[in-house]
């Protein structure tokens, strides 16, 4: 079979600080985890789908949804400062021991529930043209960081004095990773040991599909946007 083999990895820890057990938070009748698994299954791009978690309920939910690999990660990888990078390296090592081989890794965070499977396919198209450069989904900041102020002992000073006070259309557009989708070359990743090692190529998404759920407010906003976009 032609083309690189692609593994989708869904990191889904149970321990979360600001919004407890956020990966199991329910949005429109489905948990964030379930939504992401179904999107991965719907887009028919992946040779295998894996979920990594330290949490029994999340692992059971993933198994019930028939993902190909359920990876039990050590508790230490579910706590700060461990992040997606360490979790992805652990998952690949775990699957290598099980005999799995893929060329390409796609990371899908459950906390980006408004991505569509067209976004996954769109990022994949950028990846096909860009590889082995990493492709990450981004969205523009709604307020430019160039307008930022830092509070130093009660005194505010501009973070970027040379741009401060300019109209937003007169400063460069700054993007943030939104966690929706990332494609990377596995060999390159394992060599660099860092999933954001440059060069990075963008897959640009609109704000209304780029909510990153980290609080009750984010969840409420996602619910509102979902209702508005439904026919």
């Amino acid at each position: 079979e032609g083309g690189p083999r692609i593994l989708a990895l869904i990191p889904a820890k149970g321990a979360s600080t600001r919004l407890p057990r956020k990966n199991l938070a329910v949005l429109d009748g489905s948990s964030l985890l379930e939504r992401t698994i179904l999107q991965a299954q719907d887009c028919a791009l992946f040779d295998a789908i894996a979920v990594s978690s330290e949490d029994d309920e999340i692992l059971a939910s993933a198994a019930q949804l028939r993902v190909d690999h359920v990876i039990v990660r050590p508790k230490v990888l579910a706590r700060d400062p461990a992040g997606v990078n360490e979790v992805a390296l652990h998952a690949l090592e775990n699957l290598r021991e099980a005999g799995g081989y893929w060329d390409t890794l796609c990371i899908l965070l459950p906390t980006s529930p408004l991505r569509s499977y067209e976004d996954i396919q769109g990022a994949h198209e950028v990846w096909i043209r860009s590889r082995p450069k990493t492709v990450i989904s981004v969205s523009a900041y709604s307020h430019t960081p160039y307008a930022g102020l830092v509070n130093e002992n009660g005194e505010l000073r501009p973070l970027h004095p040379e741009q401060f006070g300019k109209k937003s259309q007169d400063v460069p557009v700054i993007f943030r990773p939104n966690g929706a989708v990332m494609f990377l070359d596995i060999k390159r990743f394992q060599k660099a040991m860092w999933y954001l090692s440059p060069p990075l190529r963008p897959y640009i998404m609109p704000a209304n599909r780029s909510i990153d759920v980290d609080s009750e407010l984010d969840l409420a906003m996602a619910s509102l946007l979902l209702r508005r976009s439904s026919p």
Side-chain angles (χ1 to χ4, degrees):
E1 198 169 312
R5 288 176 54 78
I6 309 175
L7 169 70
L9 175 65
I10 302 170
K13 65 183 179 183
S16 47
T17 314
R18 290 181 62 197
L19 181 60
R21 303 184 67 64
K22 65 183 175 184
N23 289 311
L24 290 174
V26 174
L27 182 62
D28 193 31
S30 304
S31 72
L32 302 192
L33 173 69
E34 184 177 351
R35 293 180 71 85
T36 298
I37 290 172
L38 293 176
Q39 282 170 343
Q41 290 171 337
D42 280 349
C43 78
L45 268 179
F46 304 117
D47 296 283
I49 299 169
V51 170
S52 162
S53 186
E54 87 299 358
D55 184 274
D56 289 343
E57 190 181 350
I58 287 173
L59 293 166
S61 179
Q64 198 173 7
L65 289 162
R66 294 189 170 85
V67 301
D68 302 288
H69 302 282
V70 175
I71 300 164
V72 184
R73 73 169 89 154
K75 292 271 194 290
V76 68
L77 288 184
R79 295 193 294 269
D80 294 336
V84 172
N85 192 69
E86 291 78 10
V87 167
L89 287 167
H90 170 266
L92 290 171
E93 186 59 26
N94 183 286
L95 292 172
R96 189 184 66 78
E97 288 168 5
Y101 179 77
W102 299 272
D103 310 276
T104 302
L105 181 65
C106 175
I107 299 173
L108 303 167
L109 300 186
T111 45
S112 294
L114 300 187
R115 84 167 79 69
S116 64
Y117 71 85
E118 286 93 348
D119 286 319
I120 302 174
Q121 289 172 325
H124 180 251
E125 283 163 21
V126 177
W127 162 249
I128 292 297
R129 298 193 298 271
S130 308
R131 61 188 298 251
K133 296 172 184 174
T134 296
V135 171
I136 60 172
S137 59
V138 296
S139 62
Y141 276 101
S142 53
H143 299 284
T144 175
Y146 282 125
L149 294 162
V150 180
N151 185 355
E152 289 185 347
N153 304 318
E155 296 285 336
L156 295 175
R157 68 167 184 82
L159 185 59
H160 298 280
E162 71 288 353
Q163 304 281 12
F164 187 69
K166 289 185 180 178
K167 291 180 178 175
S168 58
Q169 60 266 35
D170 295 332
V171 296
V173 177
I174 298 186
F175 295 94
R176 64 172 185 87
N178 65 7
V181 56
M182 167 183 268
F183 280 93
L184 55 166
D185 182 88
I186 288 175
K187 281 199 180 80
R188 181 172 171 258
F189 171 42
Q190 289 181 315
K191 187 177 175 185
M193 302 283 285
W194 177 233
Y195 76 135
L196 291 172
S197 65
L200 303 170
R201 283 286 174 88
Y203 171 71
I204 299 171
M205 288 173 57
N208 65 340
R209 295 205 306 278
S210 294
I211 291 280
D212 180 12
V213 175
D214 197 35
S215 67
E216 288 287 357
L217 181 62
D218 298 331
L219 199 59
M221 180 68 80
S223 179
L224 180 69
L225 287 167
L226 203 59
R227 284 205 301 275
R228 280 183 52 190
S229 67
S230 296

